Amino acid sequence: MKNILIPTTLKQDTLQAVRTVIKNVREDNVKIVLLMISEMPDGITDLLFASRSSVETSNQEQRVLDDCRRYMDGLDYVSLRVHHQYGISGPLLRNIMNHHDIELVVLTPSFKQERASIFRQAVKLLVTCKYPLLHIPERTEELALDQAIYVDNSPANISMEEVQKMLSREFDVRVVSQTKLQQGQSTEDLAPELVETIERHNIDLLVETRKTETRGWGAGRIEEHVSLAEKLGVPVLSLVDN
């Protein structure tokens, strides 16, 4: 896996996301892109000024950014890039992903919990895009992913063997368990059973599939499963199955 996008408002879990990514990457020359988005300035003058200056950060946000950079000091196989973006839309986000050759998006709890409309729109666009999404839970510090459970969202076009091959290309993860959803069920419906299985088999990653909207990025309503990682206490990797 080459390049990874982490949308962020520079809360502490941004550092947790960076640590998790670095702990589990298998390739050299990996680029982590921190995406910071802001509302569009009110007028043309403000927009011209904003395009020539960096986005202001609070002392606390700057400390998080500095911590990320310090954590990566001496790591010659991974680099960090900060991308500032005014406004957000499907075409804008698509261009960002293409420009940076993004192959994985990591969503933090703090970013998904932001209430401003621009962040809610960004999450909606990402949940309905074609890219793999890794949702990390709040309690993640620096997690080495090892064993996974695959939740088969029937009817799915991806078998357990195919999921294992996909994971093996990017992570040192083995799929050690599988469960199948019945018609009308969602992954959240199985949360109690999944928690028990996760604890019994020392699972540290849940893999599920999702359908993307054919009408375009962000065309459908946002799904509730964005909070699943927090409910289960393990990262959730969501793969596109169309």
Side-chain angles (χ1 to χ4, degrees):
M1 185 159 297
K2 291 296 184 183
N3 299 330
I4 299 155
L5 185 80
I6 305 178
T8 179
T9 51
L10 292 180
K11 301 296 193 300
Q12 190 61 36
D13 56 9
T14 300
L15 178 58
Q16 297 167 354
V18 169
R19 286 176 169 176
T20 298
V21 166
I22 292 175
K23 190 73 173 180
N24 293 282
V25 293
R26 298 185 61 178
E27 299 185 23
D28 293 337
N29 301 319
V30 174
K31 179 173 70 175
I32 298 175
V33 180
L34 300 182
L35 175 62
M36 299 179 62
I37 58 177
S38 305
E39 295 285 358
M40 287 288 292
D42 294 331
I44 294 178
T45 302
D46 291 336
L47 181 59
L48 290 173
F49 177 78
S51 65
R52 298 177 184 177
S53 62
S54 61
V55 176
E56 291 186 4
T57 57
S58 67
N59 290 336
Q60 182 176 355
E61 292 168 343
Q62 188 61 48
R63 280 196 296 271
V64 170
L65 185 55
D66 291 342
D67 286 343
C68 291
R69 287 172 172 152
R70 276 194 295 269
Y71 184 79
M72 297 173 63
D73 280 348
L75 302 178
D76 55 4
Y77 61 89
V78 61
S79 61
L80 184 69
R81 181 80 58 85
V82 179
H83 184 111
H84 298 286
Q85 179 64 48
Y86 286 97
I88 199 68
S89 66
L92 273 175
L93 188 55
R94 186 184 301 113
N95 288 340
I96 292 170
M97 307 286 259
N98 291 338
H99 175 72
H100 292 290
D101 294 323
I102 297 300
E103 297 182 17
L104 173 70
V105 178
V106 180
L107 285 173
T108 62
S110 66
F111 192 84
K112 291 183 289 186
Q113 291 164 7
E114 292 286 346
R115 306 316 299 169
S117 60
I118 191 170
F119 300 114
R120 293 179 61 81
Q121 175 67 4
V123 173
K124 181 177 180 179
L125 290 168
L126 290 166
V127 169
T128 55
C129 77
K130 66 178 181 179
Y131 294 86
L133 304 177
L134 180 63
H135 302 265
I136 66 169
E138 292 180 347
R139 294 185 297 277
T140 299
E141 287 295 333
E142 181 179 326
L143 182 63
L145 304 178
D146 180 39
Q147 299 193 122
I149 180 173
Y150 171 46
V151 178
D152 184 352
N153 292 322
S154 182
N157 298 318
I158 304 178
S159 67
M160 180 173 170
E161 290 74 20
E162 290 172 312
V163 168
Q164 181 63 76
K165 288 180 181 178
M166 294 170 66
L167 289 175
S168 298
R169 288 196 297 267
E170 315 296 352
F171 308 105
D172 289 321
V173 177
R174 292 183 302 112
V175 179
V176 297
S177 184
Q178 179 180 15
T179 186
K180 190 177 184 68
L181 295 179
Q182 302 303 315
Q183 187 173 5
Q185 278 188 318
S186 68
T187 309
E188 290 194 353
D189 294 332
L190 294 182
E193 292 86 349
L194 289 173
V195 169
E196 181 180 350
T197 302
I198 287 167
E199 293 177 349
R200 185 168 65 248
H201 295 286
N202 294 319
I203 301 293
D204 42 37
L205 176 69
L206 182 142
V207 182
E208 67 165 6
T209 57
R210 72 184 191 281
K211 300 290 185 182
T212 59
E213 293 286 341
T214 58
R215 291 170 291 169
W217 288 39
R221 63 181 179 82
I222 190 169
E223 298 181 37
E224 294 300 323
H225 71 245
V226 295
S227 63
L228 185 60
E230 286 75 61
K231 291 185 177 181
L232 299 178
V234 298
V236 174
L237 180 63
S238 179
L239 304 173
V240 170
D241 174 27
N242 279 337

